[in-house]
Amino acid sequence: DSVVDHYFLVLEKLGDKIEEIEETLLIDPKTTVPRQVHALKRDLIYLRKQVWPLRELLFEIAHSESALIEKTSQPFFRDLYDHAIQVMDTVESFRDILSGLQDIYLSFVSTRLNEVMKILTIFSTIFIPLTFIVGVYGMNFKVMPELEWPWGYYALWGLMIALTVGMVVYFKKKRWF
């Protein structure tokens, strides 16, 4: 009974650690979270390996017809068996919670990556047409009629500025940034 009761104390401490990790994850997901979750999962697996044989043993004792165990002790062993089942159920629920926390962390990381990719895509979309225009006019062709226009240089700058402003306005209208 004392051994099983001490498992509840261990589970309480593990539950507190899980709550701390959950608060950290929701406030500011750090890169240490996966390591902490993994360590707690490992501890829970170890605890499960310790409780499983005890639970099986208590089941056998509680339901045995042995002459070594008095009938008056049977309710005590059944109660002890129920406590062992509670410990196992709590361990399983903590493992599920930790899996959920791992999923939340991965979701946060994925969302952050998507935001970075969105910004990079917007910059690329703005600069790719400008790079194309500069690339075309950087070629050494002898026959390019715009090169002889008096306002050709300024027209090209106007086109590039208008293109950039137009894309920025379009992206703002679409609420992409």
Side-chain angles (χ1 to χ4, degrees):
D1 189 34
S2 177
V3 170
V4 173
D5 286 345
H6 278 84
Y7 281 133
F8 285 111
L9 297 175
V10 171
L11 287 174
E12 187 177 328
K13 288 182 181 180
L14 287 173
D16 291 342
K17 284 183 183 179
I18 290 172
E19 286 179 16
E20 286 176 21
I21 291 173
E22 188 174 22
E23 288 175 15
T24 301
L25 181 63
L26 295 177
I27 293 171
D28 181 30
K30 299 176 181 165
T31 57
T32 60
V33 169
R35 221 172 299 131
Q36 292 172 335
V37 168
H38 181 71
L40 278 176
K41 272 185 156 183
R42 197 171 354 122
D43 291 345
L44 286 173
I45 289 170
Y46 179 76
L47 184 62
R48 186 174 185 272
K49 285 180 181 179
Q50 302 308 310
V51 175
W52 188 271
L54 180 64
R55 187 189 77 144
E56 295 299 316
L57 177 67
L58 288 172
F59 178 79
E60 290 297 324
I61 292 172
H63 295 89
S64 73
E65 301 292 328
S66 174
L68 297 174
I69 299 173
E70 296 180 19
K71 293 289 183 191
T72 57
S73 300
Q74 292 283 340
F76 173 75
F77 284 112
R78 284 193 188 111
D79 184 52
L80 201 53
Y81 173 70
D82 289 340
H83 287 171
I85 288 177
Q86 281 181 324
V87 169
M88 289 296 291
D89 289 344
T90 305
V91 167
E92 293 301 320
S93 67
F94 281 172
R95 282 182 51 204
D96 291 342
I97 290 170
L98 287 173
S99 293
L101 289 178
Q102 221 170 12
D103 291 342
I104 290 171
Y105 176 77
L106 291 174
S107 176
F108 276 134
V109 169
S110 177
T111 301
R112 190 177 304 149
L113 180 64
N114 286 341
E115 289 295 319
V116 169
M117 290 304 293
K118 183 172 75 170
I119 298 297
L120 290 174
T121 302
I122 289 171
F123 277 110
S124 295
T125 305
I126 291 171
F127 284 104
I128 286 174
L130 300 177
T131 304
F132 174 74
I133 292 170
V134 169
V136 167
Y137 283 95
M139 291 188 284
N140 293 324
F141 288 119
K142 289 186 180 186
V143 181
M144 287 183 85
E146 310 87 62
L147 295 178
E148 302 298 323
W149 295 348
W151 294 98
Y153 176 76
Y154 302 108
L156 188 60
W157 268 106
L159 172 71
M160 290 191 299
I161 290 171
L163 193 60
T164 303
V165 169
M167 283 192 279
V168 168
V169 167
Y170 176 76
F171 294 145
K172 285 263 189 198
K173 198 180 260 188
K174 289 283 189 179
R175 296 177 191 237
W176 287 358
F177 71 96

